[in-house]
């Protein structure tokens, strides 16, 4: 198959963008590419050991620490040299693989957590269950030690393969000043009221350490 944008794509401005679009959109062009498969640059080590105990977004766990050791680079690529200059940045993008997906992504619509049982198109969500199960996380760079990158605010289960690492540059990655950003209404839904039965209240009081009862107000005193 011919490239989706034809031969003119390689002479057009923003050549890299056109070529990448060509590779992704046209199967024949992808098969003929010099990199038909993706190889992780390393595996991340975090404090999260189970998929269902890992936060959905790193912004809710800004102090969650992680280490990314670049130990699976191509032969001949020195990790220390590849990381040279990265220390000048405060945040980085992680492109990673959802390696713990338990089934193939064969549905056009998925259940996002905040939809509360509803469904929407997979490309309107950040669900890991998609045709190419790749994720994107913005995390804080805490430091570099040899071939290892120290990070925080990471929302990945330990052992996740990282495909790529890129610096975050606000001038390029953030919307232009004055532009309007919008999201779907369901992304930030209103909080649901929570009411405790007398039996649940009594059970919670029994679970509270006895030593704290004389110093801490009842769990539901403010309700």
């Amino acid at each position: 198959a011919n490239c989706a944008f034809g031969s003119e794509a390689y002479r057009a401005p923003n050549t890299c963008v056109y070529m990448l679009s060509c590779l992704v959109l046209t199967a024949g062009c992808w098969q003929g590419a010099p990199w038909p498969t993706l190889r992780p640059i390393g595996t991340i080590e975090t404090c999260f050991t189970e998929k269902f105990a890992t936060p959905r977004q790193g912004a809710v766990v800004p102090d969650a620490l992680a280490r990314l050791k670049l130990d699976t680079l191509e032969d001949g690529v020195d990790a220390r040299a590849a990381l040279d200059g990265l220390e000048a940045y405060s945040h980085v993008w992680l492109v990673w693989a959802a390696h713990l997906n338990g089934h193939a992504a064969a549905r056009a619509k998925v259940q996002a957590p905040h939809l509360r049982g509803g469904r929407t198109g997979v490309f309107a969500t950040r669900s890991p269950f998609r045709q190419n199960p790749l994720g994107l996380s913005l995390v804080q760079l805490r430091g570099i030690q040899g071939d290892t990158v120290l990070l925080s605010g990471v929302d990945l289960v330990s052992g996740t393969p990282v495909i790529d690492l890129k610096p975050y540059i606000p001038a390029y990655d953030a919307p232009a000043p004055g532009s309007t950003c919008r999201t779907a209404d369901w992304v930030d839904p209103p909080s649901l009221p929570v009411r405790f039965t007398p039996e649940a209240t009594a059970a919670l009081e029994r679970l509270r350490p006895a030593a704290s009862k004389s110093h801490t107000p009842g769990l539901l005193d403010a309700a």
Side-chain angles (χ1 to χ4, degrees):
N2 293 327
C3 180
F5 291 96
S7 59
E8 293 299 318
Y10 299 100
R11 296 194 296 270
N14 299 321
T15 302
C16 292
V17 175
Y18 279 94
M19 291 180 66
L20 179 59
S21 301
C22 171
L23 292 172
V24 172
L25 294 176
T26 309
C29 204
W30 174 270
Q31 293 169 359
W35 42 280
T37 60
L38 299 176
R39 176 176 177 174
I41 62 173
T43 300
I44 200 164
E45 178 186 353
T46 75
C47 58
F48 306 112
T49 58
E50 298 181 10
K51 179 174 68 171
F52 294 108
T54 303
R56 297 189 183 99
Q57 302 297 332
V60 302
V61 286
D63 296 324
L65 302 179
R67 293 159 46 94
L68 172 61
K69 185 178 178 65
L70 305 189
D71 55 2
T72 55
L73 296 177
E74 292 285 352
D75 294 340
V77 176
D78 181 72
R80 291 170 176 79
L83 292 171
D84 183 40
L86 186 64
E87 70 281 354
Y89 298 90
S90 64
H91 292 75
V92 296
W93 292 106
L94 297 182
V95 182
W96 47 273
H99 67 302
L100 295 181
N101 281 7
H103 58 79
R107 296 180 179 178
K109 290 194 172 185
V110 297
Q111 287 182 317
H114 286 179
L115 274 172
R116 296 169 178 169
R119 291 180 177 274
T120 191
V122 64
F123 295 127
T125 74
R126 295 160 66 119
S127 168
F129 293 97
R130 49 208 316 123
Q131 178 171 316
N132 297 303
L134 297 177
L136 181 67
S137 296
L138 179 63
V139 302
Q140 184 175 359
L141 175 63
R142 303 293 291 265
I144 299 173
Q145 295 179 350
D147 62 354
T148 301
V149 183
L150 308 180
L151 307 164
S152 66
V154 176
D155 57 347
L156 303 179
V157 66
S158 194
T160 297
V162 175
I163 306 300
D164 201 4
L165 170 71
K166 302 176 185 293
Y168 171 76
I169 304 176
Y172 306 151
D173 296 337
S179 61
T180 301
C181 295
R182 66 180 186 273
T183 61
D185 293 338
W186 59 264
V187 171
D188 189 19
S191 299
L192 295 175
V194 178
R195 296 182 177 87
F196 291 85
T197 64
E199 294 79 9
T201 301
L204 288 172
E205 292 294 340
R206 288 194 298 271
L207 290 173
R208 188 172 58 171
S212 66
K213 289 186 177 181
S214 60
H215 304 286
T216 307
L219 291 173
L220 303 176
D221 288 351

